[in-house]
């Protein structure tokens, strides 16, 4: 089963954008996502339409956040991506004639709807500001561990 990583990819990019004092180019952001700038621009278009980011063309242009991190939730970003439902279970047929298939589809649909509602509630409770704080905390912890381990010498 293929997993859709658009939300995690875009959240990663938004956190990098938040750290920059200047606009970030599509090429720089695409490199952080390990993708092509065209793919990045397609993803960012929905965020721009939702008012989460803005872009400018030309020299000195690029992408910037349009509102404070504490006003953007993960749910806002997910909705702006216009991505497929975050919880999806496939069915062999949309309107099965078989009563057994109908029972299976009803049970799976109900479970998927409940799981999606819970997931969206959780995404709505987390802001980009909270994610940025966690990223800074992890970065500081990693830097401290590197300092404790001392300089790395090449093996000869």
């Amino acid at each position: 089963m293929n997993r859709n990583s658009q939300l995690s990819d875009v959240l990663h990019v938004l956190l990098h954008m938040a750290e920059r004092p200047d606009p970030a180019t599509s090429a720089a952001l695409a490199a952080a996502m390990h993708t092509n700038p065209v793919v990045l621009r397609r993803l960012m278009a929905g965020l721009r339409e939702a008012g989460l980011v803005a872009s400018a063309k030309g020299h000195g242009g690029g992408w910037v956040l349009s509102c404070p991190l504490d006003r953007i939730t993960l749910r806002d970003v997910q909705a702006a991506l216009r991505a497929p439902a975050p919880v999806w279970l496939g069915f062999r047929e949309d309107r099965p004639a078989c009563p057994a298939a109908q029972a299976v589809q009803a049970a799976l649909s109900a479970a998927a709807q409940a799981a999606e509602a819970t997931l969206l509630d959780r995404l709505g409770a987390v802001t980009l500001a909270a994610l940025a704080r966690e990223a800074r905390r992890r970065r500081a912890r990693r830097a401290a561990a590197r300092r404790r381990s001392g300089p790395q010498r090449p093996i000869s």
Side-chain angles (χ1 to χ4, degrees):
M1 179 169 125
N2 289 338
R3 294 179 186 241
N4 184 329
S5 64
Q6 290 179 347
L7 180 59
S8 63
D9 289 345
V10 168
L11 291 170
H12 182 181
V13 163
L14 292 173
L15 291 179
H16 282 295
M17 288 171 58
E19 295 172 343
R20 298 175 62 110
D22 55 339
T25 66
S26 294
L29 296 175
M33 280 179 53
H34 305 289
T35 192
N36 185 292
V38 173
V39 172
L40 174 100
R41 283 190 288 273
R42 270 193 226 121
L43 290 173
M44 298 297 275
L47 300 179
R48 182 179 47 225
E49 290 169 15
L52 304 178
V53 298
S55 64
K57 295 181 181 180
H59 182 70
W63 295 95
V64 295
L65 292 167
S66 296
C67 50
L69 295 180
D70 62 351
R71 293 193 39 223
I72 303 172
T73 68
L74 277 57
R75 185 175 185 164
D76 296 333
V77 176
Q78 193 275 335
L81 287 174
R82 298 183 306 255
V87 177
W88 181 83
L89 297 172
F91 306 109
R92 186 167 298 280
E93 302 174 41
D94 286 341
R95 298 171 192 249
C98 174
Q102 291 170 0
V104 168
Q105 185 168 337
L108 293 178
S109 291
Q113 288 172 358
E116 185 169 326
T118 299
L119 176 61
L120 291 174
D121 286 347
R122 296 280 303 267
L123 293 176
V126 179
T127 65
L128 284 183
L131 258 132
R133 283 190 300 274
E134 177 64 15
R136 282 191 301 272
R137 185 186 68 76
R138 289 173 182 258
R139 194 175 295 116
R141 192 170 63 197
R142 185 172 67 180
R146 285 183 179 159
R147 284 191 300 274
R148 282 192 303 273
S149 68
Q152 302 294 321
R153 289 184 240 149
I155 300 174
S156 35

